[in-house]
Amino acid sequence: MSTRVRFAPSPTGPLHMGGVRTALFNYLFAKKHGGTMILRIEDTDQNRYVAGAEEYIMESLAWSGIKIDEGVKEGGEYGPYRQSERKEIYKEYADRLIENGWAYYAFDTAEELNAWREKDLRPKTEDQNLTEDERLKTWKFSYDTGTRKYLKNSLSMPAKEVEQLMDEGVPYVVRFMFPLDEEIVMQDLIRGEVRVNTAALDDKVLFKSDGMPTYHLANVVDDHLMKISHVIRGEEWLPSMPLHVMLYKAFGWTDTQPEFAHLPLIMKPVGKGKLSKRDGDKLGFPVFPINWKNQETGDEASGYREAGYLPEAFVNMLALLGWNPGTEQEIFSMKQLIKAFSLERVGKSGSRFDPEKSKSLNHAYIQKLGDAVLGWLLVSQGFGDSRIQGFGDSGLESQSKMKQVVGLVKERMNFLTDFWDQSYFFFEAPTVYDAKMVKKAWKEATGERMGKIIEIIREVEGSGLKAQDYEDGIKAWITEEDIGMGLVMNPLRLSLVGAPKGPGVFDIMEVLGKEEVINRIQKAITILG
Ligand code: GLU
């Protein structure tokens, strides 16, 4: 059997980074085994449909470098890949379960079920010692092997009555019928053997009165029809596994049932609990791959892409959440991940998200990029500021300037968004001067000295005016005058940058060019005296 896996998100909002991790592990597993990666959109719950979410999912996966072999956009032999377009298929399977006695019709209205949830209508046979209050507090209604006989369904009602209700067009749902008191024994590739008794499970709705299947039916039917070999998904779906395994049995598909692997939760950086969508920007880092904006409500959330992460770093960071290579290696390209990945090395327990580690990974990935490539990335993706736009494409001169600037500030960048703050002075002359620095660096004699520096710079000639040429000229004069370096270098930096920051002064001079350097010093003399 060939390896076929699927990522099956519901388009109910932006994809959480945990969702991208699920997609990634599916992708790594598929590629490792020469298999197929499928994207199936599970949009049968029309009440939870959110416009734009499906496009968001696809864009997020594309940005992350997770390539889909079969899917809504890609097509494929087993399509359509959007469940809302497969509507007709599911009814037939629900009917089949009714016919062979694995499901039943239920007519209970929402109000009736609510009444059950609020008040135990079950005859009080069990614990006679409980007070009414205690009984209500501990009571948790479930439509199950114990309660179904008291409810309005085709098991509890005479066949004639059922027929009549159906003829009258009274809305009904189809529920799965768990056998009484049966131990379900399951295998999970990460958790090992999992057992549960059917008495602890509720008769889930499989098919709704609106003619749509629920997640459970559609998911299992599609996994079967799409010949899925492995279901790799988040731990939150573990409680659904018994129902899914029983559905395979009920349909007679046990032989080709996929193997299951439930991935551990991603936990908050500190404290208890899983990293949830709501943590969003509250904790100081994004929980979504790319920026999200709800087209109807206007709700927004930030993403890793716009926060200045490289997709390679994002993916590397996600891979290490739950999976470990068993070695000290931390930096993995997608290719290396595919080679190294295995479900055996995915842990059972929750994996704590470490924002500091993500940052240092991103830093490392930025350093790995060539200066020209990084420069092009920054310009083409609009990082930094609109004022750097055009530096990549308006001719060779600005391209090489961009490359030079990148080379000088790259080391100080953790995120692509850091670029502008580290480099703005290369693109525009200072208009204000840091007051503290002025006080410290600009003395009585400074104006005159800077005038002299201008003269020296005018005379500097060399191999295309490299940093070294400026350095040689200026340092020779400093030695001749026998004054401290700081008396010249600090006001020089102030004139060129306007603040006590930036790379080496001579490097800055090289990039700015002779004319611009002279103009900036002149301006500082005029303004600061
Ligand atoms: N539609 C489910 C989700 O939103 C899919 C769960 C599964 O992979 O079975 O995650």
Side-chain angles (χ1 to χ4, degrees), residues 360-408:
S360 71
L361 273 174
N362 203 51
H363 176 85
Y365 272 91
I366 289 177
Q367 308 318 306
K368 276 167 57 151
L369 287 180
D371 298 346
V373 173
L374 181 53
W376 171 82
L377 248 177
L378 289 161
V379 171
S380 63
Q381 297 188 10
F383 277 104
D385 193 271
S386 58
R387 282 162 286 195
I388 67 163
Q389 297 315 307
F391 267 100
D393 39 41
S394 64
L396 272 181
E397 201 198 321
S398 64
Q399 269 181 30
S400 80
K401 174 170 169 176
M402 188 66 189
K403 183 177 158 190
Q404 264 183 304
V405 174
V406 165
L408 290 175

Side-chain angles (χ1 to χ4, degrees), residues 21 25 264-265 318-324 345-349 351:
R21 195 221 21 198
F25 283 17
L265 295 174
L318 286 180
L320 298 173
L321 284 173
W323 171 78
N324 77 81
R345 300 214 68 91
V346 174
K348 285 200 242 307
S349 50
S351 183

Side-chain angles (χ1 to χ4, degrees), residues 6-12 15 19 22 26 40-43 48 83 215 219-220 223 231-234 236-237 240 244 260 262:
R6 85 303 193 271
F7 178 52
S10 301
T12 54
L15 187 60
T22 299
N26 272 284
R40 185 172 71 222
I41 300 293
E42 302 210 322
D43 58 348
R48 296 183 63 215
Q83 287 187 328
Y215 152 71
N219 185 272
V220 166
D223 281 348
V231 168
I232 304 169
R233 61 187 173 192
E236 63 273 27
W237 302 102
S240 300
H244 296 185
F260 289 93
H262 288 91

Side-chain angles (χ1 to χ4, degrees), residues 363-528:
H363 176 85
Y365 272 91
I366 289 177
Q367 308 318 306
K368 276 167 57 151
L369 287 180
D371 298 346
V373 173
L374 181 53
W376 171 82
L377 248 177
L378 289 161
V379 171
S380 63
Q381 297 188 10
F383 277 104
D385 193 271
S386 58
R387 282 162 286 195
I388 67 163
Q389 297 315 307
F391 267 100
D393 39 41
S394 64
L396 272 181
E397 201 198 321
S398 64
Q399 269 181 30
S400 80
K401 174 170 169 176
M402 188 66 189
K403 183 177 158 190
Q404 264 183 304
V405 174
V406 165
L408 290 175
V409 303
K410 189 160 89 168
E411 203 188 314
R412 298 152 196 254
M413 289 169 63
N414 288 321
F415 304 108
L416 298 181
T417 41
D418 290 336
F419 178 71
W420 182 249
D421 197 41
Q422 296 296 342
S423 69
Y424 60 89
F425 44 85
F426 286 108
F427 304 96
E428 51 183 29
T431 49
V432 287
Y433 300 92
D434 181 272
K436 250 195 192 158
M437 190 178 184
V438 171
K439 210 166 160 212
K440 269 208 333 236
W442 205 276
K443 310 278 182 208
E444 277 286 317
T446 304
E448 210 186 308
R449 275 188 203 125
M450 288 299 109
K452 183 69 196 159
I453 293 294
I454 291 180
E455 274 171 41
I456 294 167
I457 292 171
R458 281 222 170 91
E459 280 157 28
V460 167
E461 269 173 60
S463 49
L465 295 191
K466 295 284 178 209
Q468 194 63 52
D469 302 324
Y470 292 107
E471 185 170 348
D472 291 346
I474 291 171
K475 278 195 174 160
W477 181 73
I478 290 175
T479 315
E480 215 179 278
E481 292 288 299
D482 197 19
I483 51 172
M485 279 282 278
L487 287 180
V488 173
M489 297 312 287
N490 291 335
L492 201 44
R493 180 179 293 282
L494 184 63
S495 311
L496 302 177
V497 179
K501 65 190 290 183
V505 172
F506 300 118
D507 291 324
I508 297 176
M509 292 171 100
E510 176 180 328
V511 178
L512 291 179
K514 197 163 165 174
E515 276 320 299
E516 180 66 12
V517 169
I518 292 172
N519 288 344
R520 288 190 186 190
I521 302 173
Q522 195 64 66
K523 190 173 163 192
I525 296 173
T526 312
I527 294 177
L528 302 173

